[in-house]
Amino acid sequence: KNAVRWAAEDDKINAKLAALEEKFGKKPNIIYILADDVGWGELGWQGGGKHRGTPTPELDTMAAEGMRFWSAYAEPSCTPSRIAINTGRHPVRTGLLSVLWPGQVDGLSGKEVTVAEVLSEAGYNTAMWGKWHLGEEPEHLPESQGYDYAYYGLWNGAPDNWPGSFDMYQDAPNPNKAMFYDFPGEEEYLKRTGIDLSVAGYVGRKGKGRKPIEGLAGKLGPDRQEAFEAESIKQITSYVKDNAKGDKPFFIYWASYALQITGSKEKQNDPGVDKQNAQASMMVLHNEHVDKLLKTLEEEGIAENTLVVWWSDNGPMYAFYPTSGYSLLQGGKGSLMEGGVRVPGMAWWPGMIEPDQDPEDMVHVTDLFTTAARLAGVKDKIPSDRVTDGIDQTALFLLGEGNGRRNYMTHYSGDQLGAIRYEDFKVHIKPAKGGLPGMDFYNIMRDPGEKYGKLYPGLFAVAPIQKFIGSHKAMMAQFPNRDPGESRAKSH
């Protein structure tokens, strides 16, 4: 349907990218920042920020200087979104279906092809910092998945509070309730389960294995994440400076720990910070770190040759409220309601992305994989023996609103197709009753809060939705999902 129009757009895009490459002598650098549990409406440009005790002035400036995506989407939880941004595929296709916990032997199969591997084929230097959360066995790790360098934590933020919860009750009776009050302590946990929590993070290098992170940033505890983030931005800015004048472009995947459960001691007393919400102070710290990165790109004279995309991995986790992110939409982390999968997202590329844009075009986190391959000139390196869900959104980035190339999305919960969005319509799939189709129908443009879902106003969509699901499943039959057994470490 769109072949002629897209071909004309691609000619314009090719000309822009060719001129840029001639100016800088190499392909554009790409930086993807994946934040954690930051809900739609959390940042200042979406009505949050200082109004919710989480000031984000520099992130708001980044958004104003680039493109603010009002219809940005992710997977419903953390490991799934990390699969999606790295492979361009919905997790169900990869065989890795669940959020990972310490001691599990599942992880991202080495048969998957990551964005780092694709960009390495294009001659990029590749590096990652942050929360890996895609497995802890050697074959699952970033240094085995295409990254030349990686400074990473193995798990999500919850285990950082396990040892402290045990310690709360050791010296005296405590009237306060620990987050994980039944955790038996690291030594006893190791004795009972065989799971070693003594090393929380590693430095990995492609072909050279990994070494434990030394000091506070590599040891579980309530101060680890702040120390880890401080070291990360120090390394990231140094990496940018080292690579700015080199012959090869670079790719950075920064999976920040903002916002995880612990906060920032450095920022908890800053003006406007909600002290009762630990994550608010971490958001302020992250805000400053992103600003340092953007300023470094400008100072090194490579901002025009560097795309920076900021995304959240899912909606807020309310389990530890009032320490939590927040969403103005219904649902949160783990949910297929808009509050679980619709997230803040933005792109910054001075001279290439026109400033002050707020498109409604749909963009999914898988799209970042395919878009990176397009910018690097290696879309032909994306495997053709499997389905890649990500869509090339370079036209949206460079030509502006209305040039997005996605008009539908599938939302999975584990291995279950739970919702479908097509244009402005969204259908939540439910068990059928008495021969009637099982679905709630919403107009997401009119009703982003999903307050008025009904079956009968959407009866005209029943047959098209059923046809779409049939086509979707037929494609899965042609290109089967990876067996979950392939995600488990070979040694187990």
Side-chain angles (χ1 to χ4, degrees):
K1 290 181 180 179
N2 298 292
V4 174
R5 180 168 65 88
W6 287 1
E9 290 174 357
D10 287 341
D11 287 341
K12 293 180 185 177
I13 293 166
N14 291 337
K16 280 192 173 189
L17 293 175
L20 187 71
E21 187 169 354
E22 184 176 355
K23 180 175 182 178
F24 286 91
K26 55 186 175 182
K27 298 290 186 184
N29 308 306
I30 302 169
I31 300 175
Y32 287 163
I33 305 170
L34 188 67
D36 206 289
D37 297 356
V38 182
W40 193 93
E42 181 74 63
L43 302 184
W45 64 267
Q46 285 193 319
K50 68 179 183 179
H51 305 296
R52 217 188 74 79
T54 59
T56 57
E58 281 75 32
L59 287 170
D60 298 335
T61 298
M62 175 189 175
E65 292 176 350
M67 185 171 274
R68 306 178 294 277
F69 300 110
W70 284 91
S71 295
Y73 287 83
E75 296 291 329
S77 57
C78 35
T79 295
S81 280
R82 281 155 177 74
I83 295 169
I85 196 171
N86 271 284
T87 69
R89 282 154 55 83
H90 290 307
V92 66
R93 300 194 192 279
T94 72
L96 183 54
L97 300 174
S98 59
V99 173
L100 297 175
W101 299 98
Q104 288 185 273
V105 297
D106 301 275
L108 184 63
S109 169
K111 295 178 182 178
E112 291 295 323
V113 175
T114 69
V115 62
E117 289 171 322
V118 170
L119 294 182
S120 292
E121 293 263 357
Y124 277 65
N125 291 323
T126 59
M128 76 83 56
W129 284 265
K131 175 181 154 185
W132 179 240
H133 209 191
L134 288 174
E136 55 190 88
E137 298 296 323
E139 61 257 46
H140 301 144
L141 300 175
E143 64 269 19
S144 301
Q145 297 279 0
Y147 290 96
D148 300 320
Y149 175 83
Y151 180 88
Y152 59 97
L154 287 176
W155 310 306
N156 66 16
D160 280 311
N161 290 277
W162 295 359
S165 294
F166 172 76
D167 293 341
M168 273 185 65
Y169 303 106
Q170 298 311 297
D171 298 328
N174 198 320
N176 299 308
K177 180 181 175 183
M179 278 180 162
F180 303 97
Y181 42 84
D182 283 330
F183 180 70
E186 285 189 62
E187 291 184 12
E188 183 63 23
Y189 191 67
L190 176 60
K191 190 185 302 182
R192 293 182 187 179
T193 67
I195 298 172
D196 186 357
L197 301 175
S198 62
V199 179
Y202 290 90
V203 177
R205 289 179 171 84
K206 187 187 293 184
K208 297 180 180 178
R210 60 179 177 172
K211 294 181 180 179
I213 293 173
E214 296 181 357
L216 197 59
K219 176 73 175 171
L220 284 183
D223 298 322
R224 184 190 71 84
Q225 290 172 32
E226 185 170 22
F228 187 101
E229 290 293 294
E231 177 62 21
S232 292
I233 190 58
K234 180 181 175 182
Q235 289 189 20
I236 290 168
T237 52
S238 178
Y239 182 88
V240 168
K241 292 174 184 178
D242 290 344
N243 284 273
K245 301 298 188 290
D247 295 333
K248 299 173 69 174
F250 62 80
F251 169 66
I252 292 174
Y253 168 48
W254 178 15
S256 172
Y257 274 95
L259 311 163
Q260 284 284 275
I261 300 171
T262 56
S264 166
K265 288 182 179 178
E266 178 189 344
K267 297 298 177 184
Q268 67 173 346
N269 292 311
D270 276 20
V273 174
D274 178 4
K275 292 181 66 172
Q276 283 68 40
N277 177 5
Q279 290 184 344
S281 57
M282 186 62 89
M283 194 66 183
V284 174
L285 184 71
H286 175 66
N287 176 79
E288 290 192 5
H289 287 173
V290 173
D291 187 51
K292 284 182 182 179
L293 170 60
L294 301 186
K295 280 185 167 59
T296 300
L297 294 170
E298 292 171 336
E299 290 163 2
E300 294 299 315
I302 60 171
E304 187 184 349
N305 200 40
T306 306
L307 166 66
V308 183
V309 176
W310 189 101
W311 220 261
S312 177
D313 67 345
N314 47 248
M317 180 173 65
Y318 293 124
F320 301 101
Y321 183 86
T323 286
S324 76
Y326 195 78
S327 178
L328 299 175
L329 306 174
Q330 280 202 80
K333 184 173 185 173
S335 166
L336 299 186
M337 300 292 283
E338 292 289 281
V341 293
R342 194 170 184 175
V343 296
M346 48 201 180
W348 182 90
W349 195 354
M352 294 297 284
I353 292 179
E354 290 293 325
D356 198 26
Q357 296 186 74
D358 57 351
E360 289 286 350
D361 302 66
M362 280 185 277
V363 190
H364 191 267
V365 67
T366 54
D367 298 345
L368 300 182
F369 171 93
T370 312
T371 303
R374 167 71 175 85
L375 293 173
V378 285
K379 275 183 75 174
D380 61 325
K381 301 297 184 184
I382 295 174
S384 58
D385 63 346
R386 66 198 69 183
V387 173
T388 297
D389 297 289
I391 290 172
D392 175 15
Q393 296 282 19
T394 309
L396 173 60
F397 285 18
L398 299 187
L399 303 180
E401 183 168 16
N403 291 290
R405 294 187 175 179
R406 176 181 287 280
N407 68 346
Y408 76 92
M409 277 180 299
T410 54
H411 297 293
Y412 272 84
S413 180
D415 62 354
Q416 296 298 309
L417 179 60
I420 295 168
R421 179 171 170 181
Y422 175 78
E423 301 287 357
D424 289 334
F425 304 134
K426 183 176 178 185
V427 169
H428 286 267
I429 302 165
K430 297 183 171 183
K433 292 183 178 179
L436 290 170
M439 67 180 210
D440 285 335
F441 176 86
Y442 298 88
N443 183 309
I444 291 298
M445 182 273 291
R446 183 185 306 130
D447 180 22
E450 292 172 299
K451 298 176 181 178
Y452 299 99
K454 304 284 185 181
L455 167 61
Y456 287 105
L459 286 178
F460 64 88
V462 172
I465 287 292
Q466 290 174 339
K467 183 179 179 181
F468 176 90
I469 292 173
S471 174
H472 182 69
K473 290 183 176 179
M475 186 65 78
M476 281 189 163
Q478 184 179 353
F479 298 97
N481 297 336
R482 196 173 301 286
D483 189 302
E486 293 184 46
S487 72
R488 297 188 188 103
K490 295 181 179 67
S491 58
H492 294 270

